Amino acid sequence: MATPSNSDETVLNSIQARLPKLTREFIAEHYPQQVSVVHVDLLTRHGERTPVAHRIPEISPKNWNFCATGNQLHQDFLRAIGHYTNDPDTSKESAQQWQNHVFKKDSRHGGTVFGISSAKAPHPNDSSQPTAAICGFGQITDLGRQSMTALGAHMRALYIDTLGLLPASLQSGGSDDLYLRTTSYTRALESLQHTLGGLYPDPPAGSQPLRIHVRPSERDNMFPDFDCKNMVRQFVRLNTQSLERVADEYKQLYQDMLNIPSLKSFFDSEFNPGKARVAISVLDIVAPMRVHGLPLPEGIDDKLISRVAHMAAVEYLHSGWDMVALTRMQLGRLVHELAGKIAAAAEADRANALIQQPRLGIYSGHDTTLAPLLAAFGHDATAREHRAPKDLIWPPFGASIRIELLKDTTTPHPNVQPAWEESQADTTADISKVLFEKRIRPTSVPDSLYRWLPRRVHGRPSAQMNPRAARDYYVRVWYNDRILRLPTCRDPGAHHSQLGPAVCTLDGFFKQIAQFASSDKEARSECQLSRAETSA
């Protein structure tokens, strides 16, 4: 990854993700000896890419020559497609059909693998020429590959070399410890490829190919389904309200960009600010140009890029903070799935199960994967009364969310009972019949997690619900280089008694995400879609 210099670090954190430095002090502070890591889910945005289309030709070159290595590796990627399968609960015939759908029969074959291949003629001032390193639009570049490899290497340094969560080699069973998932977008799958390359840089000869789970786009839950009619309707309404709250700042940014001739030409000729958003269209061009070192015209400096990144987030993300249901409709099915996997990992660890759950899940996605998750982890009921927080920015290239399941059998569990713990008096009731906002855990968390006597007593299943059953387990959520302090986990009794609100009790974590998690059936109902429509 390119190393920023001087004041570059601030703006690059708006468009390129940072990772924490793994110093001795960092490890001692966040991973004390009595705390062990049981399971991690890593959700990422792909690495640096080219713009998705050739827009603003006055400043953006038609030819992006940043894919010399990538173009060679992409051929290996195409040859390896046969190793990629869908989720294991479907037939082999279905798996083959999905592979064809994702990689061979859709619109990205035959030279359009990465995005839009046709574009307007270059601007008269564009001196770029195609080379063997030319990228397609929307393609992950060599820099993006380096960034994702660096992320994988960071994960190796932390979870293999330092904490020993995973085996050092795939030959020693590492593949059984991994759950790998990607969307059907090529840049996401190739980002996963390089993350794995950093995690396990030297796979042994003859090792089994890794199984990567891919779902066709119409059934994927890693990004919003814009066929969800109710979601789109609410999104437009609340998005407009979010912009109204920052109207002065938004108008000022637009006026400042109109003073830049190249942007004014773009707005005048290709863009309708009354129907399209001002910031995100500009960010998709200037962010890739900035991270790849392409010259930007006078007036487009780091300060302006930071303002654009902030306002792009207001345009498309802040509305999710305003309405729980909107966040749930965007990514509630994925939250539901993640909760179930975390509960399964806790159950398997507690029972010392012979069939071990994967210790690391990697989900390679997009900005539209991370943004709704950030809303779910940081939702505050008072958000609608405030302007968008100043540190709200578009999820940068290579951004990641890490959900850590921790175990501590030594430190006393908080002896204060959170106010919401008894809000659902009958914990054996069918949670699906409880209103989302009153649920204390997602419906994907099974009752069996709570039918267990404390380890210090018997450590065996019980016929009765036991609210103390999961109290050795905690959750911490990282976003790039910082910890997300989940609102529910700040409550007394909902966080680790020594590490504080940064580390939630497992129940506190479940309470935070319960209102954002929806099953497939609930999602269909809330989106006003029939089963036939969702499977068409």
Side-chain angles (χ1 to χ4, degrees):
M1 182 183 297
T3 302
S5 60
N6 301 328
S7 62
D8 290 355
E9 192 167 345
T10 299
V11 65
L12 289 185
N13 196 41
S14 300
I15 50 182
Q16 284 181 303
R18 295 188 301 194
L19 296 169
K21 295 180 179 179
L22 302 180
T23 63
R24 289 184 179 180
E25 294 75 16
F26 176 87
I27 297 299
E29 177 183 358
H30 298 292
Y31 301 94
Q33 290 186 352
Q34 77 273 21
V35 175
S36 60
V37 180
V38 174
H39 174 86
V40 178
D41 282 312
L42 172 70
L43 300 106
T44 69
R45 184 192 179 190
H46 54 74
E48 289 84 345
R49 59 157 172 77
T50 58
V52 296
H54 185 49
R55 292 195 294 261
I56 320 184
E58 292 85 347
I59 66 173
S60 173
K62 181 177 182 181
N63 301 295
W64 290 66
N65 297 302
F66 297 99
C67 297
T69 302
N71 287 338
Q72 297 176 11
L73 291 173
H74 181 65
Q75 299 306 312
D76 296 334
F77 157 75
L78 290 176
R79 285 191 292 270
I81 284 175
H83 295 309
Y84 300 109
T85 64
N86 64 302
D87 284 334
D89 59 353
T90 58
S91 67
K92 292 182 180 179
E93 181 180 356
S94 176
Q96 183 62 38
Q97 181 182 359
W98 282 16
Q99 288 177 19
N100 287 339
H101 170 83
V102 174
F103 298 110
K104 297 176 183 176
K105 290 185 178 178
D106 73 5
S107 60
R108 286 166 292 149
H109 73 286
T112 61
V113 170
F114 299 107
I116 301 172
S117 59
S118 61
K120 297 179 180 179
H123 190 267
N125 296 331
D126 184 358
S127 61
S128 66
Q129 297 295 324
T131 71
I134 192 169
C135 309
F137 292 111
Q139 180 179 353
I140 183 174
T141 64
D142 291 346
L143 176 60
R145 293 171 184 273
Q146 294 170 21
S147 297
M148 302 314 291
T149 301
L151 174 60
H154 178 87
M155 298 288 287
R156 180 178 181 85
L158 179 59
Y159 295 116
I160 295 178
D161 298 340
T162 303
L163 302 177
L165 173 68
L166 298 170
S169 167
L170 288 174
Q171 197 169 30
S172 57
S175 59
D176 295 333
D177 287 299
L178 301 176
Y179 173 79
L180 307 175
R181 174 92 169 272
T182 178
T183 69
S184 61
Y185 284 78
T186 306
R187 57 180 173 267
L189 207 156
E190 292 187 324
S191 290
L192 176 59
Q193 175 189 18
H194 287 274
T195 303
L196 290 170
L199 183 67
Y200 285 108
D202 299 306
S207 59
Q208 292 295 315
L210 296 172
R211 171 170 292 185
I212 298 179
H213 302 266
V214 184
R215 299 178 185 179
S217 57
E218 69 269 17
R219 293 187 60 188
D220 206 335
N221 63 9
M222 286 183 61
F223 46 73
D225 176 10
F226 283 93
D227 286 332
C228 175
K229 302 170 186 177
N230 192 23
M231 183 197 76
V232 173
R233 183 164 53 249
Q234 298 298 338
F235 183 86
V236 171
R237 179 176 65 84
L238 290 174
N239 177 254
T240 300
Q241 292 178 5
S242 292
L243 291 177
E244 288 174 352
R245 297 192 197 109
V246 294
D248 293 342
E249 184 179 356
Y250 193 63
K251 290 177 181 177
Q252 186 61 56
L253 174 65
Y254 180 47
Q255 290 299 320
D256 291 345
M257 289 195 290
L258 286 176
N259 292 329
I260 302 171
S262 56
L263 294 185
K264 185 178 188 304
S265 176
F266 168 62
F267 292 141
D268 288 346
S269 62
E270 303 180 44
F271 189 78
N272 185 342
K275 294 184 179 179
R277 299 309 183 196
V278 169
I280 188 59
S281 299
V282 174
L283 184 67
D284 188 64
I285 300 298
V286 300
M289 292 183 67
R290 176 65 175 85
V291 297
H292 290 97
L294 291 173
L296 290 164
E298 183 178 356
I300 302 181
D301 55 14
D302 288 353
K303 183 177 180 180
L304 181 71
I305 293 175
S306 293
R307 291 171 62 197
V308 171
H310 169 69
M311 204 53 67
V314 175
E315 286 178 338
Y316 280 97
L317 307 186
H318 188 235
S319 56
W321 268 256
D322 275 8
M323 182 180 179
V324 172
L326 178 57
T327 298
R328 186 170 60 244
M329 284 185 282
Q330 290 183 83
L331 222 64
R333 293 177 300 150
L334 179 61
V335 176
H336 184 268
E337 179 181 325
L338 290 170
K341 289 185 180 296
I342 291 170
E347 282 198 286
D349 177 80
R350 183 178 57 189
N352 195 21
L354 295 178
I355 302 177
Q356 184 66 45
Q357 292 290 320
R359 295 182 180 274
L360 173 64
I362 304 179
Y363 298 73
S364 183
H366 309 268
D367 41 21
T368 50
T369 305
L370 299 194
L373 284 177
L374 291 175
F377 293 143
H379 172 73
D380 188 333
T382 62
R384 65 180 64 249
E385 305 299 333
H386 302 284
R387 291 175 176 266
K390 287 296 181 184
D391 62 351
L392 177 69
I393 58 173
W394 195 261
F397 294 124
S400 62
I401 293 174
R402 283 185 289 129
I403 309 172
E404 295 178 328
L405 176 64
L406 310 173
K407 180 172 67 174
D408 184 352
T409 60
T410 303
T411 306
H413 192 275
N415 55 17
V416 178
Q417 186 178 39
W420 43 262
E421 196 169 72
E422 289 189 347
S423 62
Q424 185 181 326
D426 183 4
T427 56
T428 65
D430 182 355
I431 300 178
S432 65
K433 297 180 180 179
V434 178
L435 295 176
F436 281 109
E437 60 270 20
K438 293 186 178 181
R439 294 180 185 179
I440 60 174
R441 53 188 169 96
T443 58
S444 54
V445 177
D447 286 348
S448 56
L449 183 66
Y450 295 93
R451 297 188 187 280
W452 192 269
L453 296 177
R455 184 185 298 274
R456 301 181 187 93
V457 180
H458 297 293
R460 58 182 175 80
S462 169
Q464 302 297 321
M465 293 294 285
N466 173 23
R468 295 186 58 225
R471 289 194 173 182
D472 287 342
Y473 295 93
Y474 300 83
V475 172
R476 176 169 52 204
V477 180
W478 294 85
Y479 178 51
N480 298 331
D481 59 350
R482 63 190 178 95
I483 296 172
L484 294 182
R485 297 176 182 268
L486 281 59
T488 299
C489 303
R490 299 169 187 162
D491 295 348
H495 53 258
H496 194 277
S497 57
Q498 290 185 6
L499 297 177
V503 177
C504 307
T505 62
L506 183 58
D507 290 333
F509 173 75
F510 286 153
K511 172 60 179 174
Q512 170 65 33
I513 65 173
Q515 58 187 331
F516 298 99
S518 58
S519 65
D520 287 343
K521 181 179 179 180
E522 289 171 327
R524 284 194 299 269
S525 174
E526 198 161 23
C527 286
Q528 301 175 3
L529 292 174
S530 68
R531 182 182 298 272
E533 287 176 306
T534 59
S535 60

